Amino acid sequence: MTTQPLTHLTTIGGSQPDKVPRSVLVIYTGGTFGMVYELKTGQLIPFNFGQVLDFLPELNRLNFNITIVATSRIIDSANMTPAVWVELAQLIETNYGQYDSFVILHGTDTMAYTASALSFMLTDLSKPVILTGAQLPIGVARSDARENFLTALEIATAVDELQQPVVPEVCVYFNSVLLRGNRSTKRESVQFNAFVSENYPTLATAGVSIDYNSPFIQPYRTGQSLVIQTALDPNIALLMLFPGITTAVVDAILSTPGLRGVALETFGAGNAPTDGWFLDALTKAAGRGLLLMNVSQCAGGRVVQGHYQTSEQLARIGVVSGADITLEAAIVKLMVVLGQEPGHDEAAMIRLRTRLAQPMAGEMSID
Ligand code: ASP
């Protein structure tokens, strides 16, 4: 994958002179959306996004001011890192006063991780931040890029009768549905309906009109100033359970040098083997100050520790229930929570577990 720094900055003006047009900052990060087929190799490579108007002349006819900037590296989102999340959060913070809303063009592979990260990093957000992308490059005739981008812009600029943003939170818009960002998961790599939200309702559906599911959208909060959290600790691991998992694998993961947190990907409603060696390994890891979170392998439903005997012990060991959180949100939440709390003494562990168990940005529903 080649990367290319993009220096173009395009400003496209609104067209209705009688109204003050809403302003949107579009941040281009890469992904299939902005790729073209290289003639020689037939591989997908990023195109110069400054030429987006060649592909989407209708941007000129929209009644909002659009400014397009790019992150410092244009990437396939498989190369996403926490450093890029920090760059995105800082770009939004720097431009927060100047723009009414933000649209992020992003590869689909890790879009749900980035959306989760931004939902935790942009605290007290009161403006829309909509991530979108495409399954087919914008230069391809049947591409979904055009519809996804234009509708994401429309949603980002939608206001209610009080001129307040309709969706003042971090969302993913894709293939006619608007999802809470930290509830979204990429479930499809071939069809256009790439994203789902198993445990939280769709926030809007775009057909002939865009129907907003208002009771489920974060309400607009007045008088909030954006504060960004940029401390993320990537020293976390994912321990996915499977029948037959060996002591060697579990020990190797739990004894990773520098490790501070583990998302334990359990069965069903949060169940795990009750074998002595396994519970011992977890007890020792918790004793060493590892923050453990129980996330189910089932995309739908929730972790209920203690519902079965096979999860009762986990709660006793201090494993925090992830309730109905997605794996993507759980991983990023661990990084954010650990980034904010560098200590591992008993008091710090209590604070960490408490923070992990509480919803930070609507990413989980607790009873
Ligand atoms: N590999 C691409 C990416 O995530 C896939 C896509 O954009 O759909 O950047």
Side-chain angles (χ1 to χ4, degrees), residues 81-83 85-86 117 120-121 229-238 256-263 289-291 329-344 349 352 356:
T81 60
W85 297 336
V86 171
F120 301 136
M121 294 166 79
Q229 306 289 340
T230 53
L232 284 98
D233 190 340
N235 286 302
I236 62 148
L238 175 62
T256 305
L259 192 68
R260 294 189 63 212
V262 176
L290 274 193
L291 184 61
I331 285 174
V332 183
K333 189 173 179 180
L334 277 167
M335 289 188 194
V336 172
V337 166
L338 287 165
Q340 288 168 357
E341 175 62 73
H344 8 35
M349 289 312 295
L352 282 166
L356 202 58

Side-chain angles (χ1 to χ4, degrees), residues 30-33 35 75-78 106-111 133-136 174 186:
T32 298
F33 186 103
M35 291 188 182
I75 54 171
D76 183 305
S77 79
H106 195 289
T108 56
D109 288 348
T110 58
M111 193 186 294
Q135 294 281 59
L136 272 178
F174 215 90
K186 182 177 177 180

Side-chain angles (χ1 to χ4, degrees), residues 185 196-199 296-302 324-326:
T185 294
V196 285
S197 168
E198 289 286 355
N199 292 327
S296 175
Q297 292 176 22
C298 295
R302 59 190 297 116
D324 58 354
I325 200 167
T326 62

Side-chain angles (χ1 to χ4, degrees), residues 41-347:
T41 62
Q43 278 180 339
L44 283 171
I45 54 159
F47 86 115
N48 185 340
F49 206 76
Q51 294 161 356
V52 66
L53 276 178
D54 297 348
F55 293 95
L56 289 172
E58 48 278 78
L59 287 177
N60 267 323
R61 295 202 305 272
L62 300 174
N63 185 36
F64 21 86
N65 289 324
I66 304 170
T67 302
I68 301 175
V69 293
T71 40
S72 52
R73 287 195 330 129
I74 301 307
I75 54 171
D76 183 305
S77 79
N79 287 316
M80 187 49 64
T81 60
V84 182
W85 297 336
V86 171
E87 185 182 352
L88 286 170
Q90 287 171 340
L91 256 174
I92 291 172
E93 183 189 38
T94 311
N95 291 285
Y96 201 66
Q98 243 179 294
Y99 293 90
D100 297 309
S101 47
F102 302 84
V103 170
I104 300 177
L105 297 172
H106 195 289
T108 56
D109 288 348
T110 58
M111 193 186 294
Y113 290 90
T114 300
S116 299
L118 291 176
S119 76
F120 301 136
M121 294 166 79
L122 303 173
T123 49
D124 292 333
L125 179 73
S126 57
K127 296 185 177 184
V129 174
I130 314 293
L131 287 93
T132 195
Q135 294 281 59
L136 272 178
I138 197 164
V140 171
R142 276 194 324 106
S143 175
D144 51 339
R146 184 178 174 280
E147 193 284 320
N148 285 347
F149 186 29
L150 295 177
T151 308
L153 285 169
E154 194 166 332
I155 290 170
T157 51
V159 286
D160 61 17
E161 55 290 348
L162 300 171
Q163 297 300 300
Q164 289 166 347
V166 175
V167 190
E169 58 171 301
V170 179
C171 296
V172 164
Y173 175 75
F174 215 90
N175 190 52
S176 306
V177 291
L178 182 74
L179 308 174
R180 175 165 293 165
N182 57 31
R183 295 287 195 151
S184 66
T185 294
K186 182 177 177 180
R187 69 111 191 252
E188 171 60 60
S189 62
V190 175
Q191 304 298 325
F192 286 144
N193 55 349
F195 289 89
V196 285
S197 168
E198 289 286 355
N199 292 327
Y200 198 74
T202 297
L203 300 186
T205 308
V208 171
S209 61
I210 300 175
D211 294 330
Y212 292 95
N213 197 0
S214 306
F216 294 97
I217 299 174
Q218 296 274 19
Y220 177 73
R221 292 166 295 185
T222 39
Q224 302 279 351
S225 355
L226 179 77
V227 178
I228 63 164
Q229 306 289 340
T230 53
L232 284 98
D233 190 340
N235 286 302
I236 62 148
L238 175 62
L239 173 51
M240 183 182 176
L241 302 181
F242 53 88
I245 191 166
T246 61
T247 320
V249 167
V250 171
D251 286 348
I253 293 176
L254 295 179
S255 60
T256 305
L259 192 68
R260 294 189 63 212
V262 176
L264 198 60
E265 218 187 339
T266 56
F267 308 118
N271 305 314
T274 48
D275 297 320
W277 68 265
F278 178 74
L279 295 173
D280 276 359
L282 287 187
T283 308
K284 284 189 189 135
R288 291 197 302 273
L290 274 193
L291 184 61
L292 304 168
M293 188 179 202
N294 187 346
V295 186
S296 175
Q297 292 176 22
C298 295
R302 59 190 297 116
V303 166
V304 186
Q305 292 194 144
H307 186 53
Y308 290 91
Q309 195 202 1
T310 43
S311 64
E312 201 187 357
Q313 292 287 342
L314 300 181
R316 286 213 196 109
I317 291 168
V319 179
V320 177
S321 167
D324 58 354
I325 200 167
T326 62
L327 184 64
E328 294 89 331
I331 285 174
V332 183
K333 189 173 179 180
L334 277 167
M335 289 188 194
V336 172
V337 166
L338 287 165
Q340 288 168 357
E341 175 62 73
H344 8 35
D345 53 43
E346 197 44 44

Side-chain angles (χ1 to χ4, degrees), residues 17-44:
D18 54 324
K19 278 195 191 162
V20 179
R22 310 282 297 171
S23 56
V24 194
L25 183 67
V26 174
I27 306 172
Y28 176 57
T29 68
T32 298
F33 186 103
M35 291 188 182
V36 285
Y37 286 102
E38 192 181 47
L39 282 180
K40 255 195 273 162
T41 62
Q43 278 180 339
L44 283 171

